[in-house]
PDB file of all heavy atoms in Angstrom:
ATOM      1  N   SER A  37      33.282 126.062 164.632  1.00  0.00           N
ATOM      2  CA  SER A  37      33.934 124.992 163.871  1.00  0.00           C
ATOM      3  C   SER A  37      33.198 124.812 162.557  1.00  0.00           C
ATOM      4  O   SER A  37      32.090 125.305 162.367  1.00  0.00           O
ATOM      5  CB  SER A  37      33.946 123.680 164.665  1.00  0.00           C
ATOM      6  OG  SER A  37      32.614 123.214 164.873  1.00  0.00           O
ATOM      7  N   HIS A  38      33.830 124.116 161.629  1.00  0.00           N
ATOM      8  CA  HIS A  38      33.227 123.821 160.329  1.00  0.00           C
ATOM      9  C   HIS A  38      33.942 122.600 159.744  1.00  0.00           C
ATOM     10  O   HIS A  38      35.062 122.257 160.182  1.00  0.00           O
ATOM     11  CB  HIS A  38      33.341 125.016 159.385  1.00  0.00           C
ATOM     12  CG  HIS A  38      34.641 125.750 159.498  1.00  0.00           C
ATOM     13  ND1 HIS A  38      35.831 125.235 159.060  1.00  0.00           N
ATOM     14  CD2 HIS A  38      34.930 126.953 160.034  1.00  0.00           C
ATOM     15  CE1 HIS A  38      36.804 126.089 159.296  1.00  0.00           C
ATOM     16  NE2 HIS A  38      36.284 127.149 159.911  1.00  0.00           N
ATOM     17  N   PRO A  39      33.355 121.918 158.775  1.00  0.00           N
ATOM     18  CA  PRO A  39      33.965 120.682 158.251  1.00  0.00           C
ATOM     19  C   PRO A  39      35.276 120.919 157.518  1.00  0.00           C
ATOM     20  O   PRO A  39      36.106 120.003 157.421  1.00  0.00           O
ATOM     21  CB  PRO A  39      32.889 120.139 157.293  1.00  0.00           C
ATOM     22  CG  PRO A  39      31.624 120.816 157.681  1.00  0.00           C
ATOM     23  CD  PRO A  39      32.013 122.159 158.213  1.00  0.00           C
ATOM     24  N   GLU A  40      35.498 122.128 156.982  1.00  0.00           N
ATOM     25  CA  GLU A  40      36.667 122.372 156.140  1.00  0.00           C
ATOM     26  C   GLU A  40      37.914 122.641 156.987  1.00  0.00           C
ATOM     27  O   GLU A  40      37.882 123.467 157.898  1.00  0.00           O
ATOM     28  CB  GLU A  40      36.430 123.576 155.224  1.00  0.00           C
ATOM     29  CG  GLU A  40      35.277 123.409 154.255  1.00  0.00           C
ATOM     30  CD  GLU A  40      33.925 123.695 154.885  1.00  0.00           C
ATOM     31  OE1 GLU A  40      33.915 124.239 156.023  1.00  0.00           O
ATOM     32  OE2 GLU A  40      32.891 123.373 154.278  1.00  0.00           O
ATOM     33  N   PRO A  41      39.030 121.971 156.706  1.00  0.00           N
ATOM     34  CA  PRO A  41      40.284 122.321 157.368  1.00  0.00           C
ATOM     35  C   PRO A  41      40.813 123.647 156.833  1.00  0.00           C
ATOM     36  O   PRO A  41      40.418 124.089 155.745  1.00  0.00           O
ATOM     37  CB  PRO A  41      41.214 121.165 156.997  1.00  0.00           C
ATOM     38  CG  PRO A  41      40.682 120.641 155.714  1.00  0.00           C
ATOM     39  CD  PRO A  41      39.194 120.856 155.754  1.00  0.00           C
ATOM     40  N   LEU A  42      41.692 124.286 157.575  1.00  0.00           N
ATOM     41  CA  LEU A  42      42.253 125.546 157.107  1.00  0.00           C
ATOM     42  C   LEU A  42      43.678 125.713 157.605  1.00  0.00           C
ATOM     43  O   LEU A  42      44.129 125.058 158.546  1.00  0.00           O
ATOM     44  CB  LEU A  42      41.385 126.728 157.546  1.00  0.00           C
ATOM     45  CG  LEU A  42      41.090 126.916 159.030  1.00  0.00           C
ATOM     46  CD1 LEU A  42      42.179 127.751 159.692  1.00  0.00           C
ATOM     47  CD2 LEU A  42      39.736 127.565 159.228  1.00  0.00           C
ATOM     48  N   ILE A  70      44.523 123.826 161.073  1.00  0.00           N
ATOM     49  CA  ILE A  70      43.406 123.474 161.941  1.00  0.00           C
ATOM     50  C   ILE A  70      42.523 122.488 161.193  1.00  0.00           C
ATOM     51  O   ILE A  70      41.938 122.829 160.160  1.00  0.00           O
ATOM     52  CB  ILE A  70      42.593 124.717 162.348  1.00  0.00           C
ATOM     53  CG1 ILE A  70      43.499 125.750 163.023  1.00  0.00           C
ATOM     54  CG2 ILE A  70      41.441 124.326 163.267  1.00  0.00           C
ATOM     55  CD1 ILE A  70      42.790 127.042 163.381  1.00  0.00           C
ATOM     56  N   PRO A  71      42.428 121.249 161.644  1.00  0.00           N
ATOM     57  CA  PRO A  71      41.589 120.256 160.953  1.00  0.00           C
ATOM     58  C   PRO A  71      40.117 120.658 160.962  1.00  0.00           C
ATOM     59  O   PRO A  71      39.675 121.483 161.769  1.00  0.00           O
ATOM     60  CB  PRO A  71      41.810 118.974 161.766  1.00  0.00           C
ATOM     61  CG  PRO A  71      43.037 119.217 162.572  1.00  0.00           C
ATOM     62  CD  PRO A  71      43.077 120.689 162.830  1.00  0.00           C
ATOM     63  N   GLY A  72      39.359 120.071 160.076  1.00  0.00           N
ATOM     64  CA  GLY A  72      37.925 120.296 160.058  1.00  0.00           C
ATOM     65  C   GLY A  72      37.280 119.856 161.362  1.00  0.00           C
ATOM     66  O   GLY A  72      37.743 118.930 162.031  1.00  0.00           O
ATOM     67  N   ASN A  73      36.208 120.546 161.727  1.00  0.00           N
ATOM     68  CA  ASN A  73      35.391 120.231 162.902  1.00  0.00           C
ATOM     69  C   ASN A  73      36.101 120.466 164.236  1.00  0.00           C
ATOM     70  O   ASN A  73      35.620 120.005 165.276  1.00  0.00           O
ATOM     71  CB  ASN A  73      34.870 118.789 162.836  1.00  0.00           C
ATOM     72  CG  ASN A  73      33.997 118.558 161.625  1.00  0.00           C
ATOM     73  OD1 ASN A  73      33.085 119.338 161.346  1.00  0.00           O
ATOM     74  ND2 ASN A  73      34.282 117.496 160.877  1.00  0.00           N
ATOM     75  N   VAL A  74      37.239 121.176 164.215  1.00  0.00           N
ATOM     76  CA  VAL A  74      37.910 121.556 165.458  1.00  0.00           C
ATOM     77  C   VAL A  74      37.499 122.987 165.798  1.00  0.00           C
ATOM     78  O   VAL A  74      37.686 123.907 165.002  1.00  0.00           O
ATOM     79  CB  VAL A  74      39.444 121.462 165.325  1.00  0.00           C
ATOM     80  CG1 VAL A  74      40.130 122.072 166.551  1.00  0.00           C
ATOM     81  CG2 VAL A  74      39.866 120.005 165.151  1.00  0.00           C
ATOM     82  N   PHE A  91      40.416 124.705 152.883  1.00  0.00           N
ATOM     83  CA  PHE A  91      40.576 123.551 152.010  1.00  0.00           C
ATOM     84  C   PHE A  91      39.287 122.721 151.949  1.00  0.00           C
ATOM     85  O   PHE A  91      38.517 122.690 152.911  1.00  0.00           O
ATOM     86  CB  PHE A  91      41.714 122.660 152.511  1.00  0.00           C
ATOM     87  CG  PHE A  91      43.036 123.364 152.560  1.00  0.00           C
ATOM     88  CD1 PHE A  91      43.406 124.087 153.691  1.00  0.00           C
ATOM     89  CD2 PHE A  91      43.907 123.328 151.485  1.00  0.00           C
ATOM     90  CE1 PHE A  91      44.624 124.747 153.745  1.00  0.00           C
ATOM     91  CE2 PHE A  91      45.119 123.989 151.535  1.00  0.00           C
ATOM     92  CZ  PHE A  91      45.485 124.693 152.656  1.00  0.00           C
ATOM     93  N   ALA A  92      39.086 122.062 150.834  1.00  0.00           N
ATOM     94  CA  ALA A  92      37.948 121.153 150.693  1.00  0.00           C
ATOM     95  C   ALA A  92      38.133 119.951 151.613  1.00  0.00           C
ATOM     96  O   ALA A  92      39.204 119.332 151.620  1.00  0.00           O
ATOM     97  CB  ALA A  92      37.819 120.695 149.244  1.00  0.00           C
ATOM     98  N   ALA A  93      37.106 119.637 152.378  1.00  0.00           N
ATOM     99  CA  ALA A  93      37.222 118.550 153.354  1.00  0.00           C
ATOM    100  C   ALA A  93      37.517 117.216 152.691  1.00  0.00           C
ATOM    101  O   ALA A  93      38.189 116.355 153.274  1.00  0.00           O
ATOM    102  CB  ALA A  93      35.936 118.462 154.173  1.00  0.00           C
ATOM    103  N   ASP A  94      37.045 117.022 151.452  1.00  0.00           N
ATOM    104  CA  ASP A  94      37.200 115.727 150.788  1.00  0.00           C
ATOM    105  C   ASP A  94      38.321 115.720 149.740  1.00  0.00           C
ATOM    106  O   ASP A  94      38.536 114.704 149.072  1.00  0.00           O
ATOM    107  CB  ASP A  94      35.889 115.317 150.120  1.00  0.00           C
ATOM    108  CG  ASP A  94      35.421 116.338 149.092  1.00  0.00           C
ATOM    109  OD1 ASP A  94      35.945 117.477 149.098  1.00  0.00           O
ATOM    110  OD2 ASP A  94      34.524 116.007 148.293  1.00  0.00           O
TER     111      ASP A  94
END
Side-chain angles (χ1 to χ4, degrees):
S37 64
H38 39 71
E40 298 81 12
L42 56 88
I70 304 177
N73 299 311
V74 171
F91 300 87
D94 59 345

